[in-house]
Amino acid sequence: MPSSIVLATTESTVRWYSFDDTAASAWRQGDPPIPFTLSEVLDLRGRVLAGDKDTAKHWAKAMGLTTWRYVRI
């Protein structure tokens, strides 16, 4: 089974980002950030999983994040 990537905070207590992957995929440099929510629990049913770091990086930028952590699961 191939691994996937989720976005998480870079704080000592990891929180997980949840967002609309369609909006993030359509986002372009200069667009306003897309909305997201943070969760204290990683429930994979409610998370968008990126197939690679480039996709996760694009999504992080789409949310207006300046720091993030890639978590491979």
Side-chain angles (χ1 to χ4, degrees):
M1 180 171 144
S3 62
S4 297
I5 295 173
V6 294
L7 291 171
T9 61
T10 56
E11 301 159 357
S12 58
T13 301
V14 177
R15 293 180 296 168
W16 308 98
Y17 292 101
S18 181
F19 55 93
D20 181 338
D21 66 320
T22 304
S25 296
W27 181 87
R28 298 291 176 254
Q29 192 73 31
D31 288 351
I34 62 167
F36 64 88
T37 58
L38 288 172
S39 176
E40 301 297 328
V41 176
L42 178 59
D43 179 352
L44 295 178
R45 295 171 296 177
R47 299 293 166 262
V48 179
L49 304 177
D52 55 47
K53 281 187 174 183
D54 288 337
T55 300
K57 182 178 180 179
H58 179 81
W59 290 347
K61 288 183 176 182
M63 290 186 288
L65 303 177
T66 56
T67 61
W68 60 86
R69 177 175 295 158
Y70 302 109
V71 179
R72 188 173 300 278
I73 56 169

